[in-house]
Amino acid sequence: MKSETIKIKYLSDDIERLDYIDGKSDWIDLRSAEDVELKKGEFKLIHLGVAMELPEGYEAHIVPRSSTFKNFGIIQTNHQGVIDRSYCGPEDWWRMPVYAVRDTQIHKNDRICQFRIMENQPKIRFEETNELTGINRGGFGSTGKA
């Protein structure tokens, strides 16, 4: 398996260091870098305590952990965060935009989301046509019918 190196800057020594658990998942947990108290209906950009310099040709995808909604009652407002390689300056801290559906508390170092790096999409070109030759599947939402 190919290995890549990522330069990482931590907000402080209080932030638990990222850990890749080989064989369990290729997603890496991210933690809150601050104590957060949210009331139902409030929005917050939660500081994740890290800034990174991604390898050439990669971007990071950030999504909630499977237990985030159950444990904290928050929804990531953009559903998936995408961090491109150019977001790598000394103050380009990673954050998670959340909306609280109930009153909640999140403590520093609580695992609230996860990320993985993905290769950038290859360069593509669009070829305009009047006909598509694939099999018609019946339109949007049609495959869920019994």
Side-chain angles (χ1 to χ4, degrees):
M1 177 181 215
K2 183 178 172 183
S3 178
E4 295 288 349
T5 299
I6 297 176
K7 291 182 181 178
I8 186 167
K9 177 181 173 184
Y10 289 93
L11 178 65
S12 71
D13 289 337
D14 296 341
I15 306 302
E16 287 191 35
R17 294 336 196 214
L18 299 187
D19 189 21
Y20 179 81
I21 303 170
D22 194 27
K24 183 176 178 190
S25 172
D26 59 358
W27 290 84
I28 300 168
D29 288 339
L30 292 166
R31 299 168 183 271
S32 176
E34 58 188 334
D35 290 327
V36 175
E37 186 170 328
L38 292 168
K39 299 291 184 200
K40 180 180 179 178
E42 288 184 331
F43 169 84
K44 171 119 176 110
L45 280 171
I46 298 178
H47 202 307
L48 299 174
V50 295
M52 298 185 206
E53 191 173 304
L54 299 174
E56 184 73 40
Y58 287 87
E59 63 191 24
H61 294 182
I62 299 175
V63 298
R65 298 179 74 241
S66 60
S67 61
T68 297
F69 184 78
K70 176 182 65 100
N71 290 342
F72 302 108
I74 57 174
I75 296 172
Q76 185 173 348
T77 58
N78 56 350
H79 304 289
Q80 174 180 296
V82 177
I83 298 178
D84 62 46
R85 186 176 187 277
S86 68
Y87 190 73
C88 61
E91 300 302 318
D92 289 338
W93 297 105
W94 290 20
R95 298 175 189 266
M96 180 185 187
V98 302
Y99 177 80
V101 298
R102 62 174 165 83
D103 293 356
T104 190
Q105 289 187 345
I106 300 165
H107 301 291
K108 184 186 283 187
N109 285 313
D110 280 346
R111 296 180 299 161
I112 58 170
C113 56
Q114 58 192 334
F115 85 100
R116 69 185 302 188
I117 64 169
M118 304 285 294
E119 285 191 76
N120 294 126
Q121 176 173 284
K123 294 226 182 277
I124 60 172
R125 65 179 183 84
F126 294 97
E127 179 183 324
E128 195 168 330
T129 183
N130 290 324
E131 282 290 318
L132 298 177
T133 59
I135 296 172
N136 188 3
R137 293 181 48 190
F140 185 81
S142 62
T143 59
K145 296 179 182 174

